[in-house]
Amino acid sequence: MSDHNLAPTPGDRATTFFKRNDVRRTSVIFILWTATFTILGIWLYPKFMPRIMSKEMLSAENIMIWFTIISAPIAGIVLALATNAFLNMHRGDTPPEEGPAVRTNGPVVVIWTVASTIFALVAIVWGIVELNVQSVEAAATSKSAMIVEVTGSQWLWTFNYPEQGIETHQLNLPINRPVEFDIRSVDVNHSFWPVQLGVKVDANAMVTTVVRTTPNKLGEIDVKCAELCGILHAYMETTGAVMTEADFDSWVSQVQQSGASA
Amino acid sequence: MTTLVTEQHARPVPNPKKSLITKLNMGTGVILGALFAAITYYLIRHSLQTITDGAVDPLNPNQNDQLLIATMMAWSIGFLIGIGAFIGPFRWLIGRDLTAEEQLYLAGDGQGIKRYFKYCTDHKVVGIQYLVGVMTMLGVGGTMAMMIRTNLASPGSKFITPVVYNSLVGLHGITMIVAMIIVATGPFGNYIMPIMIGARDMAFPRLNALSWWVLFTAIPVLCSAWFLGGIPTGWTAYAPLSVQAGAGMDAFLMTIIIFAISTAVAGANITATVVTMRAKGMKWNRVPIFVIGSTISVALAIPAFPTFMLSMIMTGMDRSFNTTFFDAHMGGSGWLYAHLFWIMGHPEVYVILLPGVAALMEIAPVFVRKPLFSFNAAVLGFAGIAGLSVLVWAHHMYISGWANNLNGPFMITTEMISIPTGLIFLVLIGTLWRGKPWMKLPMLSVFAFIWNFLIGGITGIYLSDVPADNYLHGSMFVTAHFHFTLMGAALTGAIGGLAFWYPKMTGRMLNERAGYISFWFVQIGFNVLFFGMFVAGAEGQPRRVADYAHQFATSNLISTAGAYSVGIGMIVLLWAVIHSWRHGKIAPMNPWGSKTLEWTVPYPVPLENFDELPVITSDPYGYGKGK
Amino acid sequence: MNEVKGGEELSTGRRLTSGLTFLALGILVVTGVGFGLHQASKSPQSKLYATVNGTTDVPGFGTLKHAFISESVWPDVQTAVDNGAKADRRHPWPFYGPASHFVLPAHALVTVTLKVYDGGEKLNHNYFAKVIGTVGNTMTVDGKVVDALAPDGVQHTFTLHGIPTSTQDPLFVNVPLPVADPDNKPGSFHTVTFSFVTQGVGEYVWNCEYPCGDGTYAKFGAVMGAQGYMSGKVSVVNV
């Protein structure tokens, strides 16, 4: 980089700013980083996250994708400036020449602060809106919801279906029927996590915590414990499935007859 | 920077009387500590036998807990008496104070290597003690991390059993958290900071020695946790699991109680020093940014840690006296514990982060030869983070179910932290802009920090959003996120600080080639390690599991490979530090051409740092041309 | 200024040697720690191999290898020794003996015979009073067929489960064990037998769901949090 870049005269700054070599190079790097993060956001989470089987799961994955995309330009600026500086590196045992004595730049600080505030606001508003949508839906479906009483004990989950009068260690649910999980623990804290449904809530002793969702895809679900609960915490897992109403009914009657699920 | 003669310091000739003070050292401390512990153990055991008319019932965990807690307390107090920590207060009790000679003796004047094993009040000695202590802790914690990753290399938990695994997770957590809290403020805050502000020592030199030796007494206590059956709870020690846990838990909670005392003492001391002992002319806007960052960090720790201590005292009472603070069956609440813990726990991560960031902000201007970009933004960033950090604790409890309606407000405060955090990035990249960074080890850390903290920051935004946290909470994603901030950002900052201040602390340059090798092994390994973990978390692997389903095998194997690379890099760094201490290139007084005060004193730094106290006329960032 | 202690700078060769030696030592130390932990992890997990003896027809599964395994549940070491069993547990706690790690053949009918000597009381969670996952969802107690116990008359449970994965078949067995009342009649016991079918190869765990960690929260501390007493592993392998 040539020396004249280091001390632009104030007058022609605005017009020549984007013609400066370092600015151009930084802009190119900015575009590359922004694109990288955008692609990462679009590719990474849909590729690796489990199947989306409820609106809650969709909302979680959307947040991860979109927040990556929204923050890509900010990451791009930071990384572009850092990369540019890195490429300008000075090596050797003597210090480099003195840089420009810029102590601050009022407009830059203000623009940066405003931009990061807007970014924070977007995240906040997004989250609040999602929360609100979820709680409105949960309230709307609370009357019609099928109740499943989930009990966490060291180190197993069990599920009581009061309407059907069965109790199992497998979480099977009918599709498109709102479900209300009433969760409690008989001992220490656990955390009930039906992974593909994208909801999670702690199981506490003597308190019932509630979480609602509506499974909207058929398929297997994994149920895990997400709160360290003692030596076999890792093994406090079980499976289940979202099935058609008919399949669910026949499973229920099978369990009712045998007294336990296979 | 101009220095003027303002004060001549008359130094008395060292002539310590052969009093008790000269006889006390770490050895007498250990002896008295062990003696106190043994006596207490037998007295309590005996009295418990008297109460229960017979042998202590090994099946009664309460009695065991009472016995152990009392013994550990006695060890700590005995050690401190044995090393002479209470000589000063004792003298005051009998109406006298230490004589000038004794004070000088306590400062370790002319005692060579021995002073590192004594109750030494010299801030530079305390700094080195902290440095060695921190490196030991990081080594132990890192070894445990290797064990954890080895077990997770493939599914089936084939390497160790879940009991051993859970203990390792808990001990790795607490060892690293303790080490990281003191990693920058301990060595650099004690050794460098007083010189940086032009002071002869800390405001309370004896408290300074106390903070280190109190912390030291926690080390055997923490180690004993392993032999008492380990801690199955992770470092968060959630009740009621912690109430259920075995005797190792008593060691854990005593460690925290002792550590909280140490932090309170150190925090009050550092804050008082910076507020009252700055050199003439060092107005607040001329204070080096590292000093500002560290002070805000320790000032944040002062209100934060007592709640942790309190939660541990309550856990101890639940365990040993059958109180029911956290037992929901008896009217207590586990949520109470979670609140007390996280009211400490979230400020605590910024207590860890800020000094590391501040060290890098100190480094960047020196190596870019430009002034720090927007000092005010840096201070605002630190202050904003510190202020907001006490209002966000319940984001760790979004899914606990304690009050779903409060998730919204806590989400707002949490996401607002991205604003002051943005200022920190601005200061660093603003300083870099149009500079030619001198690619020495400390400067490399600045770049690594920017990348790591960016990743940690963005993933933190997902976690702060409740609907995403519903999925991610308690998964490996969280583990990867906080390692990116605590290790990738804060530890990188501290290592940068070590490379930067090493010449002043040892008189020699840190071996550069080893430093570079270590840097790339650690940083590349670190990113591989935790990218693998991000993926495992996104796939749905819970954290703190000894075993996992087969679909997570690939990401876990990649993580483990990265972990081994970090391990190798850290061993190389440890070699560089040890080797260079003895055989490194002799350092000039100011190898980096920095303008802060610590580079104006020679090595070895004289006992009271300055012959003549400096007077400050500008801030230390007057680099660059065209002022 | 020249008071810097220590030696001279070393030549590049010696520095390299020193560095590499240190690296090797460091790796050796970490490996040593790992080896030690691995050894410490192994000892209480002494393995018990099922003995295969002929084949059996199981309705719904066809003809399977028939494997047998015998285990006891002791209230403490003394009772075990009094009844002629070998026992070397450190703590005075109830335990499964002789082993806590069972190795079973894949695609087999496994018949477990448990001699249970301990007393007991009430479960934390009544679900575990039911017999689940065995052939016919039943077990025999001293020869009588039983499909559940009263939740307040259980001494321990044998509860086998694992992490459901894409490559390992699910396996879930829960068997509650009846109280033997050793306080009134020392040495009294029940013989419990049950059979279950293993599928493909996999790693599972078993644990007791009866709260036997007296004096601890939910009675799930102490013995329940130790290895080799009330929990262990189950490996299903190809024989």
Side-chain angles (χ1 to χ4, degrees), chain A:
Chain A
M1 184 173 312
S2 55
D3 265 349
H4 70 270
N5 285 331
L6 296 175
T9 49
D12 58 355
R13 213 175 189 174
T15 50
T16 59
F17 183 74
F18 285 102
K19 288 183 180 162
R20 274 163 47 190
N21 283 341
D22 57 346
V23 175
R24 280 186 170 174
R25 184 165 77 173
T26 310
S27 307
V28 172
I29 304 171
F30 163 74
I31 291 167
L32 290 177
W33 276 120
T34 308
T36 309
F37 270 76
T38 310
I39 293 167
L40 197 69
I42 294 171
W43 169 78
L44 186 72
Y45 298 117
K47 164 119 178 102
F48 288 108
M49 282 174 76
R51 275 190 74 206
I52 296 169
M53 290 171 67
S54 74
K55 276 187 183 163
E56 283 74 13
M57 186 65 187
L58 181 69
S59 148
E61 189 167 314
N62 273 344
I63 285 176
M64 293 169 74
I65 294 169
W66 279 102
F67 282 17
T68 314
I69 295 172
I70 295 167
S71 54
I74 296 178
I77 293 173
V78 171
L79 291 176
L81 289 166
T83 314
N84 178 57
F86 191 82
L87 295 174
N88 277 347
M89 73 171 88
H90 165 90
R91 302 174 77 163
D93 283 330
T94 49
E97 58 188 291
E98 300 279 305
V102 182
R103 286 190 162 264
T104 187
N105 184 330
V108 169
V109 175
V110 170
I111 291 169
W112 184 268
T113 313
V114 170
S116 53
T117 307
I118 291 171
F119 175 70
L121 281 177
V122 170
I124 289 170
V125 170
W126 186 308
I128 295 284
V129 168
E130 284 285 349
L131 262 188
N132 197 40
V133 167
Q134 288 184 4
S135 63
V136 166
E137 271 184 22
T141 58
S142 64
K143 290 253 168 63
S144 60
M146 179 178 92
I147 290 180
V148 178
E149 291 170 358
V150 181
T151 304
S153 61
Q154 288 172 311
W155 294 275
L156 286 158
W157 291 111
T158 58
F159 310 98
N160 188 28
Y161 296 72
E163 294 161 38
Q164 288 77 7
I166 56 170
E167 189 171 23
T168 75
H169 56 271
Q170 265 182 318
L171 181 63
N172 286 350
L173 299 169
I175 189 169
N176 288 336
R177 177 140 172 222
V179 54
E180 171 183 319
F181 296 109
D182 291 350
I183 296 134
R184 65 175 197 110
S185 162
V186 298
D187 37 52
V188 301
N189 291 5
H190 304 278
S191 194
F192 172 66
W193 186 17
V195 178
Q196 288 81 351
L197 300 183
V199 292
K200 188 183 286 144
V201 75
D202 280 2
N204 298 274
M206 304 302 285
V207 194
T208 301
T209 47
V210 176
V211 68
R212 295 186 179 91
T213 183
T214 307
N216 56 17
K217 291 259 169 30
L218 296 174
E220 298 261 311
I221 46 178
D222 299 319
V223 180
K224 299 176 194 265
C225 173
E227 182 66 62
L228 181 58
C229 57
I231 57 169
L232 296 184
H233 161 58
Y235 301 94
M236 191 168 164
E237 297 199 358
T238 186
T239 48
V242 176
M243 30 178 77
T244 59
E245 284 282 352
D247 285 352
F248 180 74
D249 290 341
S250 71
W251 173 74
V252 167
S253 55
Q254 181 205 328
V255 175
Q256 280 166 341
Q257 279 162 19
S258 70
S261 70

Side-chain angles (χ1 to χ4, degrees), chain C residues 3-237:
Chain C
E3 286 179 60
V4 181
K5 300 236 171 61
E8 294 302 302
E9 280 187 68
L10 302 181
S11 69
T12 315
R14 287 187 60 192
R15 215 165 38 225
L16 195 67
T17 320
S18 155
L20 289 177
T21 315
F22 189 90
L23 181 63
L25 275 177
I27 293 174
L28 205 69
V29 168
V30 176
T31 318
V33 171
F35 187 75
L37 283 181
H38 185 57
Q39 290 302 314
S41 277
K42 252 185 190 163
S43 48
Q45 295 283 350
S46 56
K47 288 181 185 173
L48 187 64
Y49 291 84
T51 44
V52 179
N53 188 0
T55 56
T56 309
D57 285 329
V58 185
F61 291 95
T63 307
L64 295 175
K65 279 177 284 195
H66 199 167
F68 295 87
I69 212 156
S70 292
E71 177 87 353
S72 300
V73 182
W74 305 105
D76 50 55
V77 174
Q78 194 54 48
T79 313
V81 173
D82 289 348
N83 288 282
K86 270 191 260 176
D88 57 347
R89 298 298 195 279
R90 248 180 75 211
H91 296 284
W93 290 332
F95 65 97
Y96 274 73
S100 61
H101 183 176
F102 308 118
V103 184
L104 312 175
H107 302 290
L109 178 71
V110 180
T111 296
V112 182
T113 307
L114 277 176
K115 284 190 177 178
V116 296
Y117 290 81
D118 204 0
E121 240 180 30
K122 214 172 149 305
L123 287 169
N124 279 351
H125 188 2
N126 292 349
Y127 186 70
F128 301 110
K130 286 192 281 191
V131 184
I132 303 162
T134 62
V135 174
N137 286 332
T138 56
M139 61 174 177
T140 67
V141 178
D142 301 328
K144 269 183 291 182
V145 176
V146 173
D147 67 355
L149 296 177
D152 54 1
V154 175
Q155 63 162 286
H156 296 284
T157 77
F158 178 81
T159 308
L160 195 170
H161 55 111
I163 299 179
T165 76
S166 49
T167 58
Q168 141 173 343
D169 293 314
L171 185 57
F172 184 95
V173 175
N174 179 68
V175 175
L177 307 175
V179 172
D181 204 2
D183 292 337
N184 293 335
K185 262 193 290 169
S188 69
F189 66 92
H190 292 293
T191 306
V192 175
T193 63
F194 57 93
S195 302
F196 60 92
V197 175
T198 62
Q199 298 180 45
V201 171
E203 293 288 328
Y204 305 88
V205 293
W206 65 269
N207 63 278
C208 164
E209 285 292 339
Y210 170 76
C212 39
D214 278 346
T216 56
Y217 178 82
K219 294 190 181 178
F220 247 74
V223 62
M224 304 303 281
Q227 62 197 28
Y229 291 85
M230 280 292 150
S231 61
K233 285 169 102 173
V234 173
S235 304
V236 177
V237 298

Side-chain angles (χ1 to χ4, degrees), chain B residues 480-499:
Chain B
H481 157 73
F482 74 72
H483 277 90
F484 257 93
T485 53
L486 295 188
M487 184 182 175
L491 183 61
T492 300
I495 289 176
L498 177 68

Side-chain angles (χ1 to χ4, degrees), chain B residues 224-478:
Chain B
S224 72
W226 179 261
F227 301 98
L228 291 170
I231 47 171
T233 58
W235 89 276
T236 48
Y238 261 32
L241 185 61
S242 62
V243 181
Q244 184 186 76
M249 211 59 221
D250 298 318
F252 177 86
L253 64 93
M254 277 313 293
T255 304
I256 300 303
I257 290 169
I258 295 171
F259 178 62
I261 294 170
S262 164
T263 324
V265 170
N269 198 2
I270 290 177
T271 313
T273 307
V274 174
V275 170
T276 62
M277 298 193 47
R278 300 191 311 281
K280 270 207 181 112
M282 188 180 275
K283 296 188 285 187
W284 280 113
N285 58 3
R286 294 175 185 168
V287 178
I289 195 70
F290 174 68
V291 177
I292 303 240
S294 302
T295 310
I296 291 179
S297 153
V298 296
L300 186 57
I302 294 174
F305 281 93
T307 65
F308 197 10
M309 183 172 172
L310 184 64
S311 70
M312 283 300 138
I313 292 173
M314 290 157 86
T315 307
M317 291 182 70
D318 271 11
R319 291 174 57 82
S320 45
F321 299 114
N322 272 341
T323 56
T324 56
F325 292 112
F326 306 132
D327 184 349
H329 297 97
M330 308 290 281
S333 168
W335 287 330
L336 173 62
Y337 177 84
H339 279 295
L340 287 173
F341 180 82
W342 290 116
I343 285 172
M344 176 287 303
H346 206 81
E348 170 262 345
V349 299
Y350 292 106
V351 170
I352 290 174
L353 184 71
L354 294 188
V357 183
L360 294 175
M361 285 187 183
E362 200 63 57
I363 288 167
V366 178
F367 290 82
V368 185
R369 313 306 295 173
K370 279 185 67 207
L372 185 71
F373 183 82
S374 195
F375 179 87
N376 291 345
V379 176
L380 264 177
F382 288 158
I385 286 179
L388 282 173
S389 75
V390 298
L391 299 172
V392 300
W393 76 89
H395 67 215
H396 297 271
M397 299 170 66
Y398 282 157
I399 58 109
S400 74
W402 73 284
N404 291 337
N405 292 340
L406 285 178
N407 284 351
F410 275 104
M411 181 165 75
I412 293 172
T413 51
T414 305
E415 279 170 358
M416 273 165 59
I417 286 194
S418 61
I419 302 168
T421 309
L423 288 177
I424 283 175
F425 278 112
L426 177 69
V427 170
L428 282 175
I429 56 172
T431 309
L432 290 178
W433 177 234
R434 289 164 71 202
K436 292 187 171 177
W438 187 17
M439 254 338 139
K440 291 287 181 186
L441 278 175
M443 192 65 212
L444 273 177
S445 288
V446 176
F447 287 104
F449 168 87
I450 290 175
W451 168 259
N452 292 341
F453 195 45
L454 192 73
I455 305 293
I458 292 175
T459 51
I461 298 170
Y462 316 147
L463 290 169
S464 67
D465 230 81
V466 181
D469 190 60
N470 278 343
Y471 178 75
L472 294 171
H473 182 98
S475 76
M476 276 294 190
F477 198 91
V478 177

